[in-house]
Amino acid sequence: DNGAAMMARVSWAYNYAARVDFGPDGAQPADIAQNALGGLLRPATAQAIANAGSRREAMTLLLTAPEFQRR
């Protein structure tokens, strides 16, 4: 089931993002997105990351973004 697979991916990403130690001066999710995806980063994804309520949510959005899932 695609819905269950997507929810599992989001759950994994959310739990993984909780373990990322950004430190007080660590990289921001937007910087990670730009470095990891470069020109593949869609404006809509960049905007969603920028508008996230926390670093954890921003990382979750990045890890579950369609362009991050490319093979």
Side-chain angles (χ1 to χ4, degrees):
D1 175 61
N2 287 340
M6 184 60 179
M7 287 308 299
R9 181 177 291 144
V10 170
S11 178
W12 177 88
Y14 189 72
N15 289 327
Y16 179 80
R19 295 184 180 112
V20 176
D21 181 12
F22 293 100
D25 297 322
Q28 295 296 314
D31 297 331
I32 296 169
Q34 186 60 51
N35 287 331
L37 297 172
L40 297 176
L41 180 62
R42 296 179 310 142
T45 301
Q47 189 64 46
I49 290 169
N51 291 335
S54 68
R55 284 182 175 178
R56 183 179 186 183
E57 291 174 5
M59 282 301 296
T60 301
L61 290 167
L62 170 60
L63 295 171
T64 58
E67 59 267 42
F68 199 83
Q69 301 300 316
R70 290 187 67 210
R71 294 179 185 221

